[in-house]
């Protein structure tokens, strides 16, 4: 049951509400937690694997890693919003661990943001269909569902109507092209997200906005029990993993032309017997 949250009237003047609950969660916190849990069960790379630039990721972790990169990128963009905006990350919607990547509350109402990273691939939107490259994806349905869940929550506990704007934001696409009729879900390049948000009509009064923020910030508003804390140590561990990924990528770039000339066997011998690594530019790269 959601309890009544207290709002300091003195905070109305500058448009801000202090972080008390769910707002403490950082961008990509949930997906990074899942990624690191899986990595904990994955064996470390051998010296040969590190020398050859093999990925440190195990199993199907690459999708989670790229997802975390995308959410972090969008989180950094949302941090540029003026103080009158409140930003939430990883709010659970109570369906098999599903969470909403980002939820933003501002003068325009509430914006739910589903983030996807498909760098270098073209995105085409045609009515109810979205394709990334040549592949059809169900992202519009997911984004619409998230907007509906937030709308249901607000209608249950608030005595006024709040506009809901579901968004599908792509990180690093090779353009986003719209064909045909528009959809209830706004699809855009994440690079345009902040300018799009700040251009939306202002419809919520400050007290209404603060009531929305207080409701979303209250952990009791959510069906699933999630950590309210700021995920101490998660970001540091992800940074180590990210550095390992960058180092492995550089190692492969260095080895690729040499491998063609002298053959893989020479490099395997050096790695196994001499422990030579050509690239060590990133802290934590040796794991």
């Amino acid at each position: 049951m959601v309890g009544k949250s207290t709002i300091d009237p003195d905070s109305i003047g500058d448009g801000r509400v202090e972080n008390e609950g769910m707002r403490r969660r950082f961008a990509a916190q949930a997906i990074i937690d899942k990624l690191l849990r899986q990595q904990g069960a994955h064996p470390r790379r051998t010296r040969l694997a590190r020398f050859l630039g093999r990925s440190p990721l195990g199993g199907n972790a690459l999708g989670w890693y790229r997802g975390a990169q995308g959410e972090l990128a969008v989180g950094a963009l949302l941090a540029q919003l003026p103080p009158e905006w409140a930003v939430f990350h990883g709010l659970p919607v109570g369906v098999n661990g599903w969470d909403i990547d980002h939820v933003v509350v501002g003068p325009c109402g509430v914006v739910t943001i589903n983030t996807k990273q498909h760098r270098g691939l073209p995105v085409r939107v045609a009515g109810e269909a979205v394709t990334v490259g040549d592949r059809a994806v169900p992202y519009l349905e997911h984004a619409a569902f998230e907007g509906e869940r937030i709308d249901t929550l607000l209608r249950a506990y608030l005595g006024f109507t709040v506009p809901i704007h579901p968004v599908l934001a792509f990180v690093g696409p090779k353009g986003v092209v719209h064909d045909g009729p528009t959809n209830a879900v706004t699809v855009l390049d994440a690079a345009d997200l902040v300018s799009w948000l700040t251009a939306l009509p202002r419809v919520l009064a400050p007290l209404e906005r603060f009531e929305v923020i207080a409701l979303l910030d209250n952990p009791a508003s959510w069906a699933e029990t999630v950590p309210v804390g700021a995920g101490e140590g998660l970001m540091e561990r992800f940074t180590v993993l990210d550095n390992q990924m960058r180092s492995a990528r550089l190692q492969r770039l260095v080895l690729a032309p040499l491998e063609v000339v002298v053959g893989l066997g020479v490099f395997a011998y050096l790695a196994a017997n001499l422990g030579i690594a050509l690239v060590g530019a990133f802290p934590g790269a040796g794991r």
Side-chain angles (χ1 to χ4, degrees), residues 56 95 190 204 254:
V95 180
L204 284 188
V254 171

Side-chain angles (χ1 to χ4, degrees), residues 131-218:
T131 56
V132 177
D134 297 325
R135 182 169 62 96
V137 292
Y139 298 159
L140 277 180
E141 299 173 15
H142 299 168
F145 166 76
E146 292 169 355
E148 292 167 1
R149 295 291 293 189
I150 291 294
D151 184 52
T152 299
L153 173 67
L154 298 184
R155 288 179 181 275
Y157 292 104
L158 299 179
F160 54 91
T161 301
V162 180
I164 308 295
H165 307 274
V167 169
L168 176 57
F170 285 92
V171 176
K174 187 180 180 180
V176 178
V177 177
H178 293 263
D179 291 331
T182 58
N183 190 280
V185 176
T186 298
V187 184
L188 45 71
D189 188 322
D192 301 322
L193 182 58
V194 172
S195 59
W196 179 84
L197 285 170
T198 53
L200 290 172
R202 303 172 69 93
V203 295
L204 284 188
L207 278 176
E208 292 176 332
R209 178 160 40 90
F210 294 158
E211 284 191 55
V212 174
I213 294 171
L215 178 64
L216 299 183
D217 196 43
N218 189 344

